[in-house]
Amino acid sequence: MSAERHLRAVPDARPDAAGSESGAATAPGPAPDLTDLLERTARGDGGAYEQLYNAVAASVFGLALRIVRDRGMAEDVSQEALVEVWHRAARFDREAGTARSWILTIAHRRAVDRVRSEQSHTTRMRTHGVREETAPAEQDLVVDVMYREWEATRVKAGLSALTARQREALDLTYFKGYTHREAAQALDIPLGTAKARIRDGLIKLRDAMGVER
Amino acid sequence: MSEHVHSLLGPYAVGALEPDERAQVERHIGACADCRDELSSYLEATAALADAEATAPPASLRDRVMAEVATTSQLPPGAPGTADAPVTDPIRVAEDYGRGTGEDTRDTAGTAGTAGTAGTAGTAGTAGTTGTTAPVGADTSAARDDLAARRAESRGPRRWLAALAGAVATVAVLAVGVFGFGLGRPSDDAAELALAKDVMMVEAASDATKMDMDLGNGQVVMSSRMDAVALMGNSAPMPDHGTEYQVWLIMADGSKVAGPTFMPDADGEYMAYVPNDLDGVVAIAITCEPPGGSAEPTTDVVSVVEL
């Protein structure tokens, strides 16, 4: 399975096949066994780490970019997070979640820390919505591209199952770095309501996407 | 209590908790398989949100990461036999080091040592002193201050003041928090500001109720909407020598929930903030406890407010 992750496509080969996959019920390419890669990384396996990088770097960078809204800063955050994955790989525990969620939790916290510490709220608001498009030539793996597009479609479908208020609560907290108290204040709702919206939104999203566990 | 922690799992999964609440959740999931599984499923949902944002990074990122990894040591596995270590660790990773510099990750001895006691204030201090010179991509904020505190410093006041424009009393509380209080160490300005913000939010809540408290000229402010209690006052005497004041929530069944400790400043002014579900709380009490607080009251009650 993971051998296919080695296949590096010619950059230009990326385009159309992925688009036609949208809405497919099953994932296009093989899902790499990230748990295995992470556990090998924990034993100092540099090759496994590189495969892991290939599998998660785009998500880590995209998440960071969405949160910090600055490409250079997103690169710094991604670097910190990805190096931290290497450094702390042995502390990953498969009982506590998947390798992907473990890595993305690290990346999320790094990004939120950065945005909270270095950017004023007004600065974030000013740059809100500015998002650089990526040059296609930089997207290196066809499998990754297909996986991402499939995932984006799936998540979009999942998000459409949420109420506008649930989406708003998730957006404020997960992507804008608000705490649940700040979100409650901003939305002028009781804290308990904010907590419930976040939880209910996650449950709907999880169920709509068929996340297991 | 466990219901309270349970309600924090969603906010935890989206990274929306204050550090103390985060620690509360991490302690809990170390002992509760149901909550661990539930949180795990939420984290899958948030991971999917992140995946949907996937954007190819520049090739130079790969080069930078691989170069840094080549000179970065790896932590050994967590100490065997510590049931809570693996569960909380993935979360604590970023908790303990996420706001440090990239340099922290190279400090094997330091990080390994602190990992064992992760989650304590002492750990925080240690991490801060193990960093060396500014690494590539390091946070410009040198100290690894309390996250909430840093945020309060950088963007909090403007936001909260804007959000609560018109709440004059509230503004007054913030001003006191910034300029007046001497809680804790002098370097804790940012932490004080965060505390002031928390207290202010309770006071500004539409359902806030206030009661006098007999500790100097004190008040207890409660808000169910904010799930929190705030204490504030002045002219308080210092606690017994070698102790700190600690807040307790007394529940209807007689059990006691340990709150934070606090100290009056030179003028006897004090503030404390207790984020907790108020259901079933019948009284707020203050005792003198050893520095850092106790799990159960060890001395007689100094002051009590019955609700």
Side-chain angles (χ1 to χ4, degrees), chain A residues 3 14 16 21 28 31-32 49 68 71 77-78 86 107 110 115 117 123 138 176 182 212:
Chain A
R14 158 186 171 268
D16 297 330
E21 284 282 342
Y49 179 75
V68 305
R71 206 172 164 88
V77 166
S78 300
W86 162 264
R110 286 263 181 186
V115 85
S117 64
T123 304
E138 291 183 334
K176 295 205 169 68
E182 291 170 340
E212 293 179 3

Side-chain angles (χ1 to χ4, degrees), chain B residues 36-63:
Chain B
R36 189 163 62 233
D37 288 348
E38 186 172 333
L39 177 61
S40 176
S41 78
Y42 293 166
L43 289 171
E44 288 310 294
T46 54
L49 286 174
D51 283 340
E53 296 297 320
T55 303
S60 60
L61 177 66
R62 182 194 188 86
D63 298 339

Side-chain angles (χ1 to χ4, degrees), chain B residues 75-293:
Chain B
L75 290 182
T82 53
D84 62 330
V87 171
T88 53
D89 187 71
I91 319 290
R92 279 180 184 160
V93 167
E95 166 75 14
D96 288 331
Y97 305 105
R99 31 185 126 104
T101 66
E103 200 70 20
D104 288 344
T105 60
R106 294 187 196 129
D107 187 72
T108 312
T111 45
T114 54
T117 56
T120 68
T123 310
T126 308
T129 56
T130 53
T132 54
T133 53
V136 177
D139 288 345
T140 55
S141 48
R144 49 147 334 265
D145 303 327
D146 179 280
L147 171 58
R150 283 203 332 212
R151 174 169 27 163
E153 191 170 47
S154 62
R155 69 162 214 228
R158 223 168 313 158
R159 278 194 55 202
W160 292 112
L161 291 179
L164 300 170
V168 176
T170 294
V171 174
V173 169
L174 178 65
V176 168
V178 176
F179 304 111
F181 281 79
L183 304 171
R185 297 173 299 271
S187 61
D188 284 352
D189 289 348
E192 284 178 36
L193 189 52
L195 174 63
K197 185 199 78 177
D198 288 334
V199 169
M200 174 177 73
M201 286 178 60
V202 176
E203 199 187 29
S206 59
D207 68 336
T209 56
K210 297 182 187 180
M211 300 179 73
D212 288 338
M213 182 177 65
D214 187 19
L215 184 65
N217 298 314
Q219 277 193 322
V220 174
V221 186
M222 291 156 290
S223 165
S224 293
R225 282 172 65 102
M226 289 292 118
D227 269 357
V229 180
L231 311 184
M232 65 195 81
N234 55 49
S235 306
M238 293 303 283
D240 295 342
H241 184 69
T243 69
E244 299 174 351
Y245 288 124
Q246 185 170 7
V247 187
W248 303 92
L249 305 186
I250 314 299
M251 310 304 286
D253 64 2
S255 63
K256 300 167 191 69
V257 176
T261 62
F262 63 94
M263 290 289 279
D265 69 5
D267 298 326
E269 295 182 334
Y270 62 92
M271 273 195 296
Y273 171 72
V274 191
N276 201 84
D277 190 346
L278 298 182
D279 282 354
V281 177
V282 296
I284 310 290
I286 308 291
T287 63
C288 294
E289 299 294 338

Side-chain angles (χ1 to χ4, degrees), chain A residues 80 84 91 98 102 124 191, chain B residues 44 76 89-90 93 137 155 225:
Chain A
E80 291 167 12
E84 187 171 323
R91 302 299 171 90
T98 64
W102 184 78
R124 277 195 295 150
L191 182 62
Chain B
E44 288 310 294
D89 187 71
V93 167
R155 69 162 214 228
R225 282 172 65 102

